[in-house]
Structures are given as structure tokens and as C-alpha cells.
Amino acid sequence: MSSHSVLSPVVGTDAPNQHLELKKPQELKEMERLPLANEDKTMSANLKYLSLGILVFQTTSLVLTMRYSRTLKEEGPRYLSSTAVVVAELLKIMACILLVYKDSKCSLRALNRVLHDEILNKPMETLKLAIPSGIYTLQNNLLYVALSNLDAATYQVTYQLKILTTALFSVSMLSKKLGVYQWLSLVILMTGVAFVQWPSDSQLDSKELSAGSQFVGLMAVLTACFSSGFAGVYFEKILKETKQSVWIRNIQLGFFGSIFGLMGVYIYDGELVSKNGFFQGYNRLTWIVVVLQALGGLVIAAVIKYADNILKGFATSLSIILSTLISYFWLQDFVPTSVFFLGAILVITATFLYGYDPKPAGNPTKA
């Protein structure tokens, strides 16, 4: 009994120590995780704001530089938009190959194997991209037509109709269900665009403004909206059905896009190319437009995972505002009216409302 009475305090004191020793590494791990979690949150927030900046820069700069390049009066022939589309597709292919090379741990052998396995060995999967690629090529050509006939601000607001077309194609092709807020936003969007396209008194009185060119620009934007909606939903459907990377898919899109683009060059601008060359009228500004068009989609694809719907709404709104201000003060090809401002506000509101995701009742903790 005496031995037991001596030992029992020892056991009693050792047991908690053993428990503490077992618990200590777990507590240390939790303490180590706390600063890492805070760093992750800070990095995520920084990436969100970086995404916002990149999205605004890309959407605004492409529209404004494209508009400026199509209206700038210079000596000699103007660059052909059909050739610019082809060069943009080729640059996109090169950029995507570099990204796949980076994902392949900078190994040429691994890159060759990935391209061979994912593209050459899957001809049917590759052929599926021919349809959206052809539509994207048409859309890219139409954007040049639109910005040759419409000011950047009007184009930016009207082009938001792609939200409507994308929603309708998502419902019909992907069986997606839209909520009340989304249907309401589509109605507001159409109303806003109608206001933006409403002719002002200065446009009605001016004989210099060609009604035909305004109509051509509007038809080009509307067709681009429909093509963008269909091609985007079709591309999304393909991505969901297969496990290929976005970069591989973009290589496939670029391959078909360059073929369709070259066909367009031959059909519409073949004589001009044979006379003045493929790169006629190219200057520094033209190359900036081409690079922005080529890399813009890839940049958005890379950062879109950090940008939620509200952030995309902010990017669209800021882009519309910047395009309006720069068109008025710098390009001086646009005079905003009260009707335009009303339409722009409605379009911006619709953009936010479409991305609005109401929190379900009874789950207040959901972020």
C-alpha cells in the first residue's frame, strides 16, 4: 500500500504532462497556421484588387486604342483589320504554348508530349473547337467594324448586351436557371441600351454624321453580342465535358481562328494584300491593339478565378466611365447627353444586379 501511495502521485503528475506533450505539436501547428492564414487572406485581397485593375485596363485600353487606330488620319493605307485578327490569333497561340511549357516544368520533351497527346492524338476533341473558333473570329472582325463607326463610350455600353445573349444561350444550351434578380437585370439592361442608342438632337441635326455608319456600327455590335454569347456558352460546355487545360483549348481555338482569319483576308482583302502587303499600314499603335487583343482574353482567363461577380461588375462600370471620359476629353468624338447617362446608369445597375447572389434565409453565416 505504501508503495502504491508513493507511486500514485507520480502517475497523477506524469499523465497531464504526457497529455501536454501530445497536445503541444498540434497547438504549435495551429499557431503556425494563423499567420499563414492571414497571409493568404491578404494575398487573396491583393489579387482581387490586381484583378480589378487588370480587367479595367484591358477592357478600356483595347476599346480606346482600337477606336483611335481606326479613326486616326495618316498618310498611306490604313492597316487591315482582317490581318490584325490573324496576327492576334498567332500571338495567342505563342503565348499559350509558353504557358503550357511553364506548366510542363520548362521541359521541351514534356511540352512536346502534352501537345501531341492533347491535340494530335485527340482530333475529334480538337475539331469541336472549330465552331466557337469561327464565331470568335467573326466577332473579332466585327469589333473593328463597330469601333470604326461608333464612339468608344456608345460601343462599351451597347456591347454589354452580351450579358443578355449569354444568359439566353445558357438557359437554352446548359439548362441554367436564372433567378428573379437576373431576369430583372436583363430587362433593365435592354432598357439602358435602348436609351444609349436613342439619337440626340445634335445627331439629328448634324449632316456630317452618317446615319448609315451609325447603323452599321450598331448592327456590328449586336451581331458581336450574339456571337459572343453563343461561342462563350459553347466553349463553357466543352470545358465542362473534358479535362483539358484552358491553355490547350486556347491553342486549339487559335489554330482554327488563324485558319478562318486567313480565309477572311483572302476573300475580303486579297487584292489589297497582294498590292500593298500583309502588314500594310502597321505602326506602333497597331501592334499595341494586336497585342491587347491577343493577350487580353488570356489575362482575363488567368485572373478571373480571383474576381467574383461584384468585382467584374465594378470592372465593367469603371471601364464604361473611363471610356466615356476619354472619348469626350481626349478622342473628342463623343458628347454625352442626359439620356446617355441615364442609359449608362441602367446598364451599370443591370451588370451588378445580374451578378447579385442573395444570401439564403436562415444561413446568416454564409459569406
Side-chain angles (χ1 to χ4, degrees):
M1 288 293 291
S2 60
S3 62
H4 180 71
S5 62
V6 172
L7 286 173
S8 69
V10 177
V11 174
T13 52
D14 281 346
N17 288 336
Q18 287 174 0
H19 182 65
L20 283 171
E21 284 175 6
L22 288 171
K23 200 173 181 181
K24 218 170 192 179
Q26 291 177 356
E27 289 177 351
L28 284 171
K29 282 179 184 178
E30 286 176 7
M31 288 173 69
E32 286 171 2
R33 280 183 197 141
L34 282 172
L36 288 173
N38 291 332
E39 282 178 18
D40 287 343
K41 284 182 180 178
T42 307
M43 188 176 291
S44 179
N46 290 337
L47 284 170
K48 274 193 173 186
Y49 290 117
L50 180 65
S51 310
L52 175 64
I54 292 171
L55 285 168
V56 172
F57 173 78
Q58 194 275 329
T59 51
T60 310
S61 59
L62 176 59
V63 169
L64 291 170
T65 52
M66 193 182 287
R67 169 66 179 171
Y68 186 61
S69 70
R70 298 309 290 170
T71 55
L72 186 66
K73 293 179 180 178
E74 286 187 328
E75 293 182 4
R78 180 175 290 167
Y79 75 94
L80 301 172
S81 59
S82 58
T83 63
V85 170
V86 173
V87 176
E89 291 296 332
L90 294 173
L91 285 177
K92 185 169 75 173
I93 292 172
M94 291 167 60
C96 287
I97 289 174
L98 285 174
L99 288 165
V100 174
Y101 175 69
K102 179 180 173 293
D103 289 344
S104 304
K105 298 179 180 178
C106 299
S107 167
L108 286 173
R109 185 178 293 177
L111 171 67
N112 184 52
R113 186 174 65 251
V114 168
L115 294 177
H116 191 271
D117 292 346
E118 296 295 333
I119 298 175
L120 296 178
N121 283 356
K122 297 178 180 178
M124 295 310 297
E125 291 293 322
T126 302
L127 278 172
K128 284 181 182 178
L129 273 295
I131 294 172
S133 179
I135 297 170
Y136 277 133
T137 306
L138 171 66
Q139 176 193 331
N140 289 333
N141 279 284
L142 285 170
L143 297 187
Y144 281 98
V145 175
L147 283 164
S148 299
N149 295 282
L150 292 174
D151 60 82
T154 304
Y155 163 83
Q156 275 278 65
V157 179
T158 309
Y159 193 47
Q160 297 312 310
L161 275 177
K162 64 184 178 181
I163 297 173
L164 170 66
T165 58
T166 303
L168 295 177
F169 283 119
S170 295
V171 170
S172 59
M173 293 171 63
L174 300 177
S175 301
K176 184 179 177 181
K177 292 182 179 178
L178 300 181
V180 176
Y181 288 105
Q182 290 171 314
W183 284 115
L184 178 62
S185 71
L186 297 179
V187 174
I188 296 171
L189 178 69
M190 288 188 290
T191 308
V193 171
F195 277 130
V196 167
Q197 289 297 329
W198 197 269
S200 63
D201 293 336
S202 60
Q203 287 177 336
L204 290 170
D205 296 337
S206 175
K207 300 294 181 184
E208 294 178 6
L209 262 173
S210 169
S213 64
Q214 188 85 3
F215 179 76
V216 168
L218 177 59
M219 287 299 102
V221 176
L222 292 177
T223 309
C225 287
F226 274 95
S227 62
S228 173
F230 177 78
V233 173
Y234 189 94
F235 187 49
E236 183 185 344
K237 189 177 181 182
I238 291 172
L239 285 175
K240 285 181 177 178
E241 289 174 354
T242 57
K243 293 182 179 179
Q244 285 180 314
S245 74
V246 176
W247 310 132
I248 291 292
R249 285 305 193 189
N250 273 287
I251 291 171
Q252 294 167 323
L253 281 173
F255 171 72
F256 287 114
S258 56
I259 292 174
F260 288 128
L262 285 170
M263 289 169 61
V265 172
Y266 178 75
I267 293 167
Y268 294 105
D269 297 315
E271 290 183 11
L272 290 171
V273 169
S274 60
K275 184 180 178 182
N276 299 314
F278 190 87
F279 294 102
Q280 60 179 285
Y282 274 60
N283 53 29
R284 189 179 296 174
L285 181 62
T286 311
W287 282 107
I288 290 171
V289 172
V290 168
V291 170
L292 283 171
Q293 191 173 25
L295 302 183
L298 301 181
V299 168
I300 290 171
V303 303
I304 209 75
K305 61 181 178 180
Y306 301 111
D308 54 20
N309 284 321
I310 294 173
L311 205 66
K312 284 184 278 185
F314 267 118
T316 303
S317 305
L318 287 173
S319 183
I320 289 171
I321 294 165
L322 283 173
S323 297
T324 304
L325 292 173
I326 295 172
S327 289
Y328 179 67
F329 289 108
W330 180 40
L331 297 180
Q332 296 180 350
D333 62 353
F334 170 71
V335 179
T337 62
S338 55
V339 178
F340 175 88
F341 277 122
L342 176 60
I345 289 168
L346 287 174
V347 169
I348 290 169
T349 304
T351 305
F352 277 104
L353 192 59
Y354 188 81
Y356 174 67
D357 185 19
K359 295 177 184 178
N363 190 15
T365 57
K366 188 178 176 182

